[in-house]
Each structure stands twice: as C-alpha cells, then as structure tokens.
Amino acid sequence: MALSFEGRVVLVTGSGGGLGREYALAFAERGASVVVNDLGADIKGGGKSSAAADKVVEEIRAKGGKAVANYDSVEDGEKVIQSALDAFGRIGENCLCVATYRILRDRSFARTSDLDWDLIHRVHLRGAFFVTRAAWSHMKKQKFGRIIMTASAAGIYGNFGQANYSAAKLGMLGLSNTLAIEGRNYNIHCNTLAPVAGSRLTETVMTPELVASLKPEYVAPMVLWLCHEQCQENGALFEAGAGWIGKLRWERSQGCVVRQKNQPMTPEAVRDQWDKICDFTDATKPTSVQESLQSIVSVLAPLESGGEVGATPTTAASASAEAVGQKLPPSTFVFSPTQCILYALGVGMSTKDPDHLRFLYERHEDFGCLPTFGVIPAQAAMMDGGLSAIPGLNIDFTRVLHGEQYLELYKPLPTSGTLTSQATVAAVLDKGSGAVILLDVNTYSGDQLICFNQFSVFVVGAGGFGGSRTSDKAKVRAALPPPKRAPDVVMIDSTTRDQAALYRLSGDWNPLHIDPSFAAMGGFQAPILHGLCSFGFAARHVLKQFADNDPSRFKAIKVRFVKPVMPGQLLQTEMWKEGNRIHLQCKVKETDAVVLAGAYVDLHGASEASPENLPQHGALQSELVFAEIGRRINDSGSELVKKVNAVFAWEITKDGKSAAEWTVDLKNGSGSLRRGAPSGKADVTLTVSDEDFVEVVQGRLNPQKAFFSGKLKVRGNIMLSQKLEVILKDNAKL
C-alpha cells in the first residue's frame, strides 16, 4: 500500500532549493500540506529573497498540491510555526518538521573568523533549536510528531576547512538524540540524516560529474519513510545518497581496568594497557547513556574486592571450566517478623488493602512471609565480593548484568529463624556476545531445604571462549512468550517515590538505588528501582489474583529482567492462566515499556474445573467482550473506579452449564479484570448465557427485558448494575 501523507502538515526549512525542495515536492505529491520555508539567502548567508520559496510553492500548486511560503529566518522559529497555524489551522496533530539549511562558510580552522563560526551555528544548530522548540508543545499536546535533523558526513567524520560546519552538524545529532528520548512518550520521533546529494553546498567539494549523479530525489524517499506514522524508528542516524541508505551506530572496545584498590592511577598503567584499551575484539555497541556508563559504575564493586589490573573478559572466561562446581563460602541469615514485614512493604504492600494485613501484622491469625522473600537470604550469599573469590572466575565485573531469576519453594518460608545458604557455580555458558554464569543457591533451615534460587548473570563481551551454549543445569529456561490472547487479568499498582529506599533495607545496598549522584554516573536521572523489587510486585499480583494470597499455593517463579523502573511509576502486570502456570508480563504503565518478560509463576493445588465442562479459550464469544473491557480498565482504570466503586462478578453459561467466571473490580486500586470468581464478596453478581450476554452488549437485547424474562439474573445491589454502562458503552467496539 502506498504511503500517504493526506491530512498531514509538513514544514521543510531551507526548501527553496536542493534537498529541501525535493522533500517539499515529494510530501506534497503524497497529499501533505507543505510550508516551504526559505530565507532566500545566498550560500554564504547573505541577502534575502522570496523568489526561491515562491517558486517551489508554485510548482506544488501547479500539480494540485497545497503549499504556502514562509520567508522568516529559522532563528524566528515561532514565526515559522505560526505560518503553518495561520495557513492550515494546526501543527501539533499532524506536524512533521524536516530541517535542512543551505549555507556554508568554509575556511581552514586558522582562518575561521568569529562571524564564520557564529553564522553557521546560528543558522544550523540554533535555527534547529528555535524551530523545533516552537513546534514541540503542539506535538506533545497532540501526541504526534516526526522530526528529521539534517547532519553531514563532515559532522560525523570531520572535514578539512569545515570546522564550523562540522561542529554545528554534530551538535544537531546530539540535539536529535535527546529529542528522541524526551519525545518518545508522546509519539514524537526524531531521527538524523546525513545526506549526500548534488546541491549548491556540495558543488564546493565535489566534481560536476559527481554532483550530477547524486540527485536529491535519491534521498527524499528515505525522509518520507522516517516521517510516516508507520515508521517507528527513533533516535537513529543514517547516511543516504545515490539510492543507497545505511544506518550508523557507535562501537566501543571492551577496555580494561587500569587501577587497583587504594592505589594511585598512573599514566604508565594507561600506557601498559593501551593495546587492550584499543582492542575492538568483541566490541560493544552502547545505545544509551545508561549502557555507556554502566561499566564505569559497576567497576567500583570489584575494585573494592581487589580486582586485578588489566583483567579482560576473554582471558577470564578461558578459565571457566575451573569455576564450574566451585562453592562460595556459606552465609547465615538471621531474621524475625520485622524483616518479613519490611520486605512486604518494600514490594508495595499497604494497609490500605485489607488482604495485605496478613503479611504486615505479626499477630494476624494467618501471618506469613511473602514467597519471594526467598531471594533475600540467597542474594546475601553473593554479597561482599563472593563471586570474585571463585577460582577460574576472574571475569571483568564491569560488564555484569542480572539477566534472569528463578526461585522455587519447597515449603512456605518461616517468619523468623536462621537460614543458611550455599551457593555453587552451576555452569558458565558461552553465548557469543557474552558469558552467562548460572549460580545455584540452596537455602536451608537447619538440615531442611527451604528454597532454591538460580541467578543468571550475564557478562557482556565475555563470550567467544569456545564453551557450551547450553546446560542441563539451567533452571532458567529460554524466555516464554505469553499466550496469544488478551490477558486474563491486568493489575496496575503504584510504586512510591521512596520504593527503592524502602526495598534496599531488605539487604540490597547498591547506591544506584538511593544516591542521585551515583545514579547520574550510571546515566540515570534519578535512582532506579531494584529489579527484584519489580519481581516481588509481579509475584504478589499473581498470588492475589490466582491464589487468594495463600503463600502455600506458591511453587516457583521465573523472570527475565528487561528494563529499569523509576520509583513513582505505575507497574502493570498482565497475567494469563494456563492450568497451574500463570504467565505474566510486567510493564511501566506510563511508557508501555516491558520490564519483566518471559515470566511465569507456578502454583500448587489450584482447583481446576473439569475440562469437559469448560470450553477452550476462544470458544466463548463473551471472551472478546471481556478482553475489550480489560483494555478499557487498562486505559482508564483510576477514572472508572471513581465513577463506579463496585465489584462485579459474572457467571457465563453455555448450553445451561457454567462456562466461565469473570471479576470486574472497579472498587480497589486502579481497577482490574480477572478470570475467575472474586476473592471476596462481589457487590453485584450477574448470570447470563454467552449468547445473551453478547446480544446485550451489542444493543440487540434490552437488558431490562433480559432481566424480566429471566435471561439475565442479578444478585446483590441491583441498582449498581446500572453503572455497568460506563464500561459497556460504545457497543460497536464491544
């Protein structure tokens, strides 16, 4: 299907000629309303004329297109954007900004004057800032925008005689990268293109024959694709010319540590390790400030343990065979109900929810310990540099990431006592791009095995040593995708600004989660939440929705950590029930970013209805309706809770038999939908056949008539059932 820009408003700066002109014509040809901006200056920035912009507008209109001219300088960004508002009445909902500029002042660096420098920066970098800033608020308000910054090979690689131009163009790349980060939550995408095309700018550095062969129309299609709503590319850099397109990225060597604990760092140490510092074997490709600075942050722990100067991942991994089977020193964990309660608070439990009291009050008749507390004594076994003490495991700890976690309980955890944990290196796997260390931790109460953890630790860049890629000792299997249907239950829970500060009191003292300056070193705007804290949130969501908060029902949990969470963000756990296994995926509600993936919880002894009496997933038409209800709760749960304030239980029948139960909770938290009966008392219980339910929500069966005819049975507060209109309105979508 052809890409259309019908209804879109496109601003192309510097579009009186060259690439900008070609972009403007191409957008107009595909239905866009185009603002042709050009000051009409000469190649050195002198003079002013409306002729260039007017000519392009005439070309567009002659072909039946829509366009207006604007002659303002890009330094008057508000005026440029206002011209689009005046001409087409909008900019935010449909705005695409393509920044091209048509001046050069080439000089060798020694001959570059203040004017040469300032004029180029004013037009290219400062102009891009002013125009984009003027459009930004409109884009954010309408949650749509596409921005293309025009860089240059001179900015990427440098070029003799173009110091001013090179600096400005690379500055535009930095601006674009940051706009991509700040705009992604508003569906604003910003990319950078370094085009090579014949124009009045390239005439100064290319032969006439080469200029003739590098036509602007060989670049324009790339710009149109990046600006189309179907394109999800964001924060990228491309080169394009002559019909060829390539994507660029940064590459970084593994590097090495050149200092020791309590010893001064010297230039001689840098000299001696120079070959390793500059060795691009197994190079990494960081894509964010966080990834870039992670190695610098994580180097601190092994340094405090006396790590070896010059240690590299490859030399360390070569000794992996010796490490397998090695045991860490046993660790002892003494705890009381205080630690259990502190952990429950750390993973978001609150006295606002009566169901949580059994984990928060030591005198509660059912007082118990959350199952995921089992990771706390296990991780204590790895603290204090325990891994670095293992012979044959002399890896580069600057590249260590917590990849996955598996926890299995053999009996409910006690609420006090002394636990002993024994950690063993189960395997060291060669994944090519890195090494995976599988660390098994058995935790005992006396002689009785209480729980088992397997930590999967990924060491970036430590692969390629010829080891095995898999191991039969891996409890953490490959990521399991969730079932291909709408979640059976979606639960949204808020973290607090102090969530990480609270969780760390359970034993994870990494300053990344509390110290703003330390977090800034890692490239984060603020301290981040512990991955195992999100792990605890997700597990208790499953426990509440599918096990009535009974810890004895919990058997095991497995997750893969994907992205960090900022304290204060909303966590959205999506759950799918398949027998006694609950598949789950956890997201940040505000950004829709997945933070826990390939995850599941296994439960003990869940009472299952006999298969012959229940239809398979997808056999009931009503499942599609509840899927849509779930999406509506997901989008507007808090607002719906304020309007409705009730819990509805649905009993769906098929051929006279009970076929499904659903609970729509619009009373607690941010609302939730789950398959199954409510854990407490419902305010309203509705019983209806699958066929009649669909007839009601589609408007073909009047609910009052269904009630009086006996097709719809209602128990509880009948008047509350009228509030169902809030979630059942717009029956066409249902």
Side-chain angles (χ1 to χ4, degrees):
M1 182 180 295
L3 298 179
S4 172
F5 288 88
E6 196 71 41
R8 298 294 190 197
V9 177
V10 182
L11 164 65
V12 185
T13 63
S15 51
L19 284 164
R21 170 184 173 275
E22 192 62 39
Y23 300 162
L25 294 174
F27 277 117
E29 185 179 347
R30 290 177 179 259
S33 301
V34 182
V35 179
V36 179
N37 164 263
D38 201 291
L39 185 64
D42 61 29
I43 190 172
K44 294 185 177 181
K48 184 174 182 180
S49 170
S50 64
D54 289 341
K55 184 177 180 181
V56 176
V57 170
E58 290 172 6
E59 287 185 73
I60 292 173
R61 291 177 175 174
K63 296 178 181 179
K66 299 179 288 264
V68 295
N70 174 269
Y71 320 114
D72 293 303
S73 166
V74 287
E75 291 186 90
D76 295 321
E78 293 288 346
K79 291 182 179 179
V80 176
I81 295 301
Q82 188 61 45
S83 68
L85 293 170
D86 293 342
F88 303 115
R90 62 190 183 279
I91 189 74
E93 182 179 1
N94 303 291
C95 182
L96 311 167
C97 285
V98 183
T100 64
Y101 306 96
R102 303 176 59 228
I103 72 164
L104 285 174
R105 289 180 78 95
D106 290 353
R107 300 280 194 281
S108 66
F109 183 66
R111 297 179 58 233
T112 301
S113 68
D114 290 355
L115 178 61
D116 294 331
W117 181 271
D118 291 342
L119 181 60
I120 292 299
H121 278 255
R122 278 171 44 206
V123 173
H124 291 271
L125 184 54
R126 188 174 167 85
F129 162 69
F130 278 122
V131 173
T132 308
R133 185 179 67 175
W136 192 256
S137 60
H138 300 285
M139 291 179 171
K140 285 181 64 176
K141 182 178 179 181
Q142 299 298 334
K143 295 189 180 299
F144 180 84
R146 296 291 185 268
I147 302 168
I148 306 297
M149 295 289 180
T150 302
S152 167
I156 300 170
Y157 308 108
N159 193 35
F160 184 87
Q162 292 189 307
N164 52 357
Y165 185 69
S166 299
K169 286 302 186 182
L170 194 59
M172 292 178 70
L173 173 61
L175 173 62
S176 177
N177 289 343
T178 296
L179 293 180
I181 294 170
E182 294 189 14
R184 60 190 173 199
N185 292 344
Y186 302 95
N187 192 26
I188 302 172
H189 297 170
C190 189
N191 293 286
T192 306
L193 179 64
V196 179
S199 70
R200 68 178 190 174
L201 299 190
T202 53
E203 286 172 358
T204 63
V205 293
M206 294 181 181
T207 65
E209 294 77 17
L210 185 56
V211 169
S213 64
L214 295 173
K215 296 181 180 180
E217 53 261 43
Y218 296 152
V219 176
M222 174 62 170
V223 172
L224 267 66
W225 166 240
L226 288 175
C227 285
H228 199 272
E229 60 188 11
Q230 291 181 15
C231 181
Q232 296 303 303
E233 192 71 47
N234 190 28
L237 170 63
F238 299 90
E239 288 184 292
W244 171 90
I245 301 169
K247 185 174 183 179
L248 283 76
R249 64 185 180 189
W250 294 102
E251 186 176 68
R252 183 175 65 183
S253 71
Q254 288 289 331
C256 69
V257 180
V258 295
R259 73 178 180 93
Q260 287 181 306
K261 181 180 179 181
N262 299 327
Q263 297 292 324
M265 181 175 168
T266 66
E268 289 79 14
V270 177
R271 175 199 64 198
D272 295 343
Q273 302 299 329
W274 192 247
D275 288 345
K276 290 181 180 179
I277 292 170
C278 299
D279 183 0
F280 277 86
T281 303
D282 296 322
T284 62
K285 300 171 181 65
T287 60
S288 67
V289 170
Q290 289 87 344
E291 290 182 23
S292 173
L293 294 182
Q294 185 174 11
S295 61
I296 299 174
V297 174
S298 56
V299 75
L300 297 178
L303 278 173
E304 289 302 309
S305 301
E308 177 186 350
V309 171
T312 62
T314 51
T315 58
S318 64
S320 61
E322 181 185 354
V324 176
Q326 295 283 345
K327 297 181 182 297
L328 276 67
S331 68
T332 300
F333 183 78
V334 180
F335 69 111
S336 68
T338 300
Q339 280 71 43
C340 300
I341 294 169
L342 193 61
Y343 175 80
L345 292 169
V347 296
M349 288 201 138
S350 168
T351 55
K352 290 188 294 186
D353 191 330
D355 291 344
H356 293 180
L357 202 59
R358 64 181 295 176
F359 299 104
L360 299 174
Y361 180 40
E362 71 281 3
R363 293 186 180 179
H364 191 282
E365 60 181 358
D366 294 321
F367 179 63
C369 186
L370 278 173
T372 48
F373 182 73
V375 301
I376 300 301
Q379 75 175 6
M382 298 191 300
M383 298 299 177
D384 302 321
L387 276 177
S388 62
I390 294 293
L393 212 56
N394 184 26
I395 60 174
D396 183 352
F397 282 89
T398 68
R399 304 305 296 163
V400 168
L401 303 171
H402 190 176
E404 305 189 42
Q405 184 72 28
Y406 177 83
L407 165 66
E408 184 170 355
L409 300 188
Y410 300 109
K411 62 178 299 183
L413 296 170
T415 56
S416 63
T418 300
L419 301 178
T420 302
S421 295
Q422 178 65 68
T424 305
V425 179
V428 180
L429 307 178
D430 185 353
K431 296 294 186 178
S433 62
V436 171
I437 302 170
L438 300 180
L439 190 72
D440 290 351
V441 185
N442 288 303
T443 300
Y444 301 86
S445 177
D447 294 330
Q448 189 173 31
L449 181 62
I450 297 294
C451 65
F452 167 82
N453 278 270
Q454 186 172 88
F455 295 81
S456 176
V457 180
F458 187 78
V459 188
V460 179
F465 56 89
S468 173
R469 290 185 60 87
T470 60
S471 171
D472 58 5
K473 295 184 179 180
K475 294 285 186 181
V476 181
R477 302 297 183 186
L480 298 174
K484 293 182 179 180
R485 66 173 191 272
D488 298 331
V489 183
V490 176
M491 188 168 175
I492 300 173
D493 212 342
S494 60
T495 65
T496 70
R497 288 289 301 273
D498 296 319
Q499 202 72 58
L502 185 58
Y503 181 83
R504 70 188 297 268
L505 300 180
S506 290
D508 190 334
W509 302 103
N510 189 336
L512 180 64
H513 306 294
I514 188 68
D515 186 342
S517 61
F518 199 88
M521 290 176 61
F524 299 101
Q525 294 181 350
I528 63 173
L529 196 61
H530 307 69
L532 285 175
C533 181
S534 303
F535 168 92
F537 266 81
R540 67 174 181 77
H541 289 166
V542 172
L543 201 67
K544 175 182 176 65
Q545 297 293 340
F546 295 97
D548 199 24
N549 276 331
D550 182 358
S552 67
R553 294 276 306 281
F554 187 96
K555 179 182 179 182
I557 179 173
K558 175 261 175 182
V559 306
R560 176 167 57 87
F561 302 106
V562 181
K563 290 186 177 180
V565 177
M566 305 305 294
Q569 289 183 319
L570 295 171
L571 281 176
Q572 174 178 307
T573 304
E574 301 169 346
M575 294 163 269
W576 296 260
K577 189 176 189 299
E578 297 281 336
N580 284 337
R581 172 162 289 182
I582 313 300
H583 295 268
L584 67 93
Q585 178 174 266
C586 199
K587 297 179 178 178
V588 171
K589 169 67 174 173
E590 293 87 343
T591 65
D592 204 40
V594 175
V595 294
L596 300 179
Y600 63 81
V601 171
D602 286 337
L603 298 173
H604 285 299
S607 58
E608 300 290 327
S610 57
E612 62 270 20
N613 291 332
L614 283 177
Q616 296 298 310
H617 285 299
L620 297 178
Q621 299 178 66
S622 56
E623 291 197 354
L624 299 175
V625 179
F626 283 109
E628 175 62 25
I629 291 173
R631 282 189 284 273
R632 294 182 180 188
I633 294 174
N634 183 22
D635 292 338
S636 310
S638 297
E639 181 182 345
L640 292 172
V641 167
K642 290 180 183 178
K643 291 181 179 179
V644 179
N645 192 32
V647 176
F648 299 93
W650 293 87
E651 296 174 352
I652 305 297
T653 63
K654 184 81 171 179
D655 300 326
K657 297 180 180 179
S658 178
E661 291 182 286
W662 293 88
T663 300
V664 178
D665 185 347
L666 295 177
K667 194 173 191 177
N668 299 299
S670 299
S672 66
L673 167 74
R674 76 179 184 90
R675 185 186 295 272
S679 56
K681 184 179 179 181
D683 295 294
V684 186
T685 300
L686 303 101
T687 303
V688 64
S689 73
D690 181 57
E691 298 84 355
D692 289 338
F693 178 59
V694 173
E695 291 285 305
V696 168
V697 299
Q698 290 185 335
R700 294 198 290 263
L701 175 61
N702 183 283
Q704 285 80 16
K705 290 184 178 179
F707 175 74
F708 288 115
S709 66
K711 292 183 176 181
L712 172 64
K713 298 177 182 178
V714 182
R715 303 193 304 272
N717 189 338
I718 296 178
M719 298 304 295
L720 280 175
S721 62
Q722 297 180 25
K723 293 189 175 184
L724 284 170
E725 182 182 359
V726 174
I727 58 170
L728 295 178
K729 63 183 179 181
D730 194 1
N731 54 43
K733 289 185 178 179
L734 286 162

